[in-house]
């Protein structure tokens, strides 16, 4: 039986969609949102309405009949901690996204947009491998401050999907193998995968600096900055995310430009690129003992994994741990579609989202 699946990935400045027939992509579309369009959206409702209309227009552009769909799947957002895998979009999930409390992020719209397409067609809407998927061992959640419990935030969707592919290429099953996966993008996260579960992570604010994020900075320096009177909370958040990392030093987060600077003899750019690779390698090494050093492969993925210069520097430092596999790209639409396909085929369960929300207002979808 053939399954037609619409995958939807809302980002901060774009909404990406693709339609798959089983494992094959039929078409994909990246819908860009200008600053002006986004500025006109006063809240979640306006963002949802704008993006829903554009998704429908994209399907019409490709002359695709929505009645052919078997399911729609959206990127999982910043929900409270959930299990990895697929969830059906239900009223409880919608209310949590619309009413909160929830971290504000464009990915939260994935569930709402999937439901907006699926419900009129009387087909299931899913999310898959939400950012907040939590499979951490209890020992990994302990911090040095009793009031703070570590949570799992990483690039779950691409990290797990890539690990599945590498496992298959190695002749095994993801559920039977161990990996350390470094997702290298605008933010960098590193995850330890033990027998099909992410058992520990280094989040994008606790490890290597990235093209635009500061990564881990000694906390006493941050405390001093907080109480210096020179920075507002908004100022510091920008330094941590958006205006940190390579961008703070070099004025750009485009690694292609940075590599061109290095090739042109820029010693500062060279040092910083080496430092980034150095810190990525440290993060991989830090997670290796969490699965007792029994690692089938170290995987480098994400957009920055297209950089041979960067991956070569990392590989030279960590190849003693395990074979290094470079699998560039984020592959998020494919990962969403393949996850939904496994649910439709009965290869994975569809989890039910349960939440003790407080009803405040009528849902707008």
């Amino acid at each position: 039986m053939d399954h037609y699946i619409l995958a939807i990935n809302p980002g901060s400045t774009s909404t990406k969609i693709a339609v798959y027939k089983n494992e094959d992509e039929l078409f994909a579309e990246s819908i860009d949102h200008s600053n002006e369009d986004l500025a006109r959206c006063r809240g979640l409702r306006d963002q949802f309405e704008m993006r829903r209309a554009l998704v429908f227009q994209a399907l019409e552009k490709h002359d695709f009949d929505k009645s052919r769909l078997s399911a729609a799947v959206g990127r999982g957002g910043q929900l409270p901690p959930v299990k990895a895998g697929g969830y059906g979009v239900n009223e409880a999930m919608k209310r949590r996204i619309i009413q909160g409390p929830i971290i504000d992020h464009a990915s939260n719209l994935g569930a709402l947009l999937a439901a907006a397409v699926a419900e009129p067609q009387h087909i299931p809407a899913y999310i898959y491998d939400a950012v907040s998927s939590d499979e951490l061992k209890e020992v990994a959640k302990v911090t040095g401050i009793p009031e703070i419990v570590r949570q799992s935030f990483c690039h779950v969707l691409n990290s797990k999907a890539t690990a599945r592919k590498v496992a298959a290429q190695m002749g095994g099953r993801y559920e039977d193998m161990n990996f350390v996966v470094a997702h290298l993008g605008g933010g960098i996260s590193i995850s330890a995968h033990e027998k099909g579960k992410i058992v520990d992570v280094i989040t994008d604010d606790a490890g290597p600096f990235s093209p635009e994020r500061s990564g881990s900075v000694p906390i006493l320096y941050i405390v001093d900055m907080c109480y210096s009177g020179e920075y507002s909370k908004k100022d510091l958040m920008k330094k941590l995310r958006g205006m940190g990392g390579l961008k703070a030093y070099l004025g750009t987060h485009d690694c292609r430009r940075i590599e061109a600077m290095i090739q042109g003899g820029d010693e500062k750019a060279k040092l910083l690129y080496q430092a980034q690779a150095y810190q990525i390698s440290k993060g991989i090494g830090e997670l290796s003992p969490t699965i007792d050093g029994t690692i089938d492969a170290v995987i480098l993925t994400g957009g920055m994994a297209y950089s041979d210069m960067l991956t070569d520097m990392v590989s030279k430092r960590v190849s003693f741990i395990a074979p290094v596999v470079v699998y560039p790209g984020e592959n998020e639409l494919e990962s969403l579609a393949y996850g939904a396909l496994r649910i439709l085929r009965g290869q994975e369960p569809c989890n039910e989202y349960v939440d003790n929300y407080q009803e405040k207002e009528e849902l707008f979808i």
Side-chain angles (χ1 to χ4, degrees), residues 79-80 90-101 352-363:
L79 292 165
N90 58 19
E91 296 302 303
M93 185 183 295
K94 292 180 189 176
R95 288 189 185 280
R96 170 62 76 164
I97 293 169
I98 293 168
Q99 298 176 355
E352 180 183 2
Y353 180 78
V354 178
D355 198 353
N356 296 319
Y357 60 82
Q358 295 295 319
E359 186 171 347
K360 303 176 187 175
E361 58 182 280
E362 293 297 317
L363 295 181

Side-chain angles (χ1 to χ4, degrees), residues 14 48 57 65-66 76 85 88 90 118 138 156 184 186 200 212 220 225 230 245 249 296 310 322 339 356:
S14 69
F48 167 75
Q57 288 175 21
D65 182 358
K66 295 188 291 294
N90 58 19
E138 286 302 310
V156 179
L184 313 177
D200 206 344
E212 57 183 16
L220 294 181
M225 292 177 74
E230 297 181 28
Y249 284 101
D296 293 287
L310 181 69
N356 296 319

Side-chain angles (χ1 to χ4, degrees), residues 5 40-41 54 84 89 97 116 146 148 164 183 198 208 233 275 278-279 297 302 321 325 356 362:
I5 300 166
R40 283 194 289 269
C41 297
L54 292 170
V89 179
I97 293 169
I148 299 176
R164 287 180 185 277
H183 177 101
I198 295 178
K233 180 178 179 179
Y278 178 85
Q279 291 194 8
I321 297 172
V325 179
N356 296 319
E362 293 297 317

Side-chain angles (χ1 to χ4, degrees), residues 137 176-180 192-195 199 287-298 320-323:
K137 295 177 180 179
D176 298 326
M177 302 178 76
N178 297 339
F179 301 102
V180 175
H193 300 236
E194 183 177 38
K195 302 293 189 290
V199 296
L287 282 187
S288 297
T290 66
I291 41 182
D292 300 325
T294 308
I295 300 167
D296 293 287
V298 172
F320 75 95
I321 297 172

